[in-house]
Amino acid sequence: MALVIATLNYGGAQVQLCHLAKLLRRYKYEVMVCCVTRGGPLAEDLREAEVEVRVIGKRHKLDVTVLWKLIRIFKSYRPDIVHCQLFTANMWGRLAARISGIRGIIATVLSLEADRGISYVLVDRLLAHVTDRIVCNTWEIKGYLAEGEKMDPGKLTVVHNGVDTDWSGSWLAAHGILPLGSSKSALGLAPHRPVVGMVCRFDPRKGIEIFLDACELLLRQRDDVQFLLVGDADPAQPDQVACKAQVMKRLEQSPLSSSVVLPGLAADVRPLLHCMNVFVLTSHTEGLPNALMEAMAMERPIVATTVGGVPELVRHEIDGLLVPPGDPEAVANAVLRLLQQPDVAWVMARKARERMCEDFSLARMVSDTTKIYHEVLRM
């Protein structure tokens, strides 16, 4: 199997690919990962799991040498399946696989309508003719591709993301994670005050401004609440760099400055999720957000916006509370309710973890994916 992606920086698609590659390797599949643009911190994680990683080194948007480099790799490695993820890899990887005569060509599409420009749509429509399966990680995306972009429904299938369901209080204890009060203190948080947190890239689509607006509204109701904003910007992405600059400028000029802790990027978010009394997702657009799934697996009470595949994860009033996107008042009210009704919050949190264990495990994700591989090879 050859898995193709643009980079191995921290991100939802990259984390899912790493989970898939490592578990395929554990199940005795031969796996190679090709990074079209550059490697990243997750590359070493894969190499430690004995997964081969090749970096192509795309220099600019239309660097056609990428195509020939991928063709050479595919003709040398001779994978049965080439499975590409995200637009850059989907374009170059599928072209190279077709020219190389690869038996099975699979693309994964994670973007919603708002993220897909006309060039993306045209390229995907063209390459759909040489693709055996198009994997979507939400039913919403599958529906949009079938209805909005007129792709062949017979080629479309849904495989939801998977989450490591060992992410629980028992895991923390077994691995020597500090008790809750000590964990908060280590981050500069007051041990006995509630924490409302979010984990995300500093990306305009993540709605960080809505989160901060909601934080200000919450402080007017409860001055004991403190906030944890986990994540960072990719320095290679100008929109993320600008987003981070706006966040930092706002915090410097805001009464929130003494209430918001920014620990930066975390390779392992479990100890940080452990500190949160409520996990919040305020995105304007999403696929199937890993951070939300991780928080649910960690049994955190949830407030999330009704975007993308979020309603496929969170059942309102069962696993958490759903609110409209772009509405900080609704976010603040939902968080306040969970803080004021801890018994209700923890019942929802337990249901959220049960849902992740039953329907969104890594084992289920890998099983669904390998089933597609075998179906394609039998065609």
Side-chain angles (χ1 to χ4, degrees):
M1 309 296 171
L3 308 180
V4 187
I5 196 163
T7 78
L8 285 171
N9 291 332
Y10 289 114
Q14 292 82 356
V15 168
Q16 287 296 312
L17 179 137
C18 287
H19 284 320
L20 177 61
K22 288 189 286 186
L23 286 171
L24 287 173
R25 185 76 179 85
R26 187 182 302 172
Y27 298 155
K28 307 304 181 184
Y29 288 85
E30 289 188 27
V31 185
M32 176 178 65
V33 173
C34 293
C35 302
V36 173
T37 305
R38 59 185 180 275
L42 293 173
E44 286 309 309
D45 189 36
L46 285 175
R47 291 186 177 112
E48 288 176 6
E50 299 183 344
V51 175
E52 182 180 358
V53 178
R54 302 271 191 100
V55 178
I56 307 301
K58 181 171 75 75
R59 296 166 296 179
H60 51 79
K61 193 171 185 178
L62 295 176
D63 182 3
V64 295
T65 64
V66 169
L67 181 62
W68 312 122
K69 290 174 182 177
L70 281 170
I71 290 170
R72 283 201 300 270
I73 290 172
F74 293 161
K75 287 191 172 181
S76 170
Y77 185 67
R78 299 306 303 171
D80 293 302
I81 295 282
V82 168
H83 184 175
C84 309
Q85 299 206 20
L86 301 179
F87 178 74
T88 297
N90 276 338
M91 181 174 73
W92 296 111
R94 283 188 284 180
L95 278 172
R98 175 66 172 179
I99 294 169
S100 303
I102 301 302
R103 289 174 63 193
I105 302 174
I106 298 171
T108 293
V109 178
L110 307 173
S111 298
L112 300 175
E113 179 178 4
D115 301 318
R116 293 170 63 80
I118 187 64
S119 60
Y120 282 41
V121 173
L122 291 175
V123 168
D124 270 347
R125 282 183 180 173
L126 179 64
L127 291 176
H129 297 291
V130 301
T131 307
D132 296 296
R133 287 286 188 279
I134 299 170
V135 178
C136 313
N137 68 346
T138 72
W139 290 102
E140 182 189 45
I141 292 173
K142 180 183 177 183
Y144 170 69
L145 293 180
E147 298 297 326
E149 297 190 7
K150 308 303 180 186
M151 290 191 182
D152 180 0
K155 290 188 175 184
L156 299 172
T157 189
V158 174
V159 176
H160 285 124
N161 293 352
V163 66
D164 185 349
T165 51
D166 283 340
W167 291 26
S168 63
S170 58
W171 185 96
L172 294 168
H175 288 76
I177 303 299
L178 294 171
L180 182 56
S182 301
S183 295
K184 287 184 177 181
S185 297
L187 291 167
L189 296 164
H192 303 297
R193 291 167 55 192
V195 175
V196 175
M198 186 161 83
V199 178
C200 67
R201 295 189 311 277
F202 280 59
D203 184 307
R205 292 170 292 187
K206 297 300 181 181
I208 297 175
E209 78 286 355
I210 302 299
F211 175 71
L212 295 177
D213 287 344
C215 293
E216 290 187 355
L217 291 171
L218 276 165
L219 282 179
R220 295 175 192 170
Q221 300 289 324
R222 288 187 55 158
D223 60 6
D224 63 331
V225 181
Q226 48 198 341
F227 306 98
L228 191 58
L229 179 55
V230 182
D232 207 341
D234 181 344
Q237 299 295 328
D239 59 337
Q240 294 185 30
V241 173
C243 178
K244 181 179 179 180
Q246 290 170 1
V247 169
M248 301 307 293
K249 182 177 180 180
R250 173 171 177 172
L251 289 177
E252 289 172 4
Q253 302 170 348
S254 165
L256 287 173
S257 58
S258 61
S259 300
V260 178
V261 172
L262 293 91
L265 193 65
D268 187 348
V269 298
R270 283 171 279 203
L272 299 169
L273 290 170
H274 180 52
C275 294
M276 297 179 190
N277 297 83
V278 179
F279 175 89
V280 176
L281 181 138
T282 55
S283 297
H284 299 297
T285 180
E286 277 291 353
L288 203 69
N290 277 8
L292 176 59
M293 296 175 70
E294 291 160 356
M296 293 174 75
M298 279 289 291
E299 230 171 63
R300 298 299 90 190
I302 300 295
V303 173
T305 48
T306 53
V307 295
V310 171
E312 296 177 34
L313 296 172
V314 180
R315 298 165 296 183
H316 184 54
E317 297 281 355
I318 299 174
D319 312 298
L321 299 178
L322 295 175
V323 296
D327 189 341
E329 186 173 356
V331 174
N333 289 338
V335 171
L336 190 62
R337 177 185 165 193
L338 293 177
L339 292 176
Q340 291 175 337
Q341 300 177 355
D343 291 343
V344 172
W346 291 116
V347 167
M348 290 184 188
R350 285 192 292 272
K351 288 287 186 182
R353 174 164 170 76
E354 289 171 7
R355 183 158 172 75
M356 292 300 101
C357 292
E358 292 171 6
D359 299 327
F360 294 91
S361 68
L362 288 177
R364 190 272 317 151
M365 181 269 288
V366 174
S367 174
D368 289 351
T369 303
T370 55
K371 181 180 178 182
I372 293 168
Y373 291 168
H374 291 292
E375 287 175 355
V376 166
L377 293 177
R378 286 197 297 267
M379 290 172 63

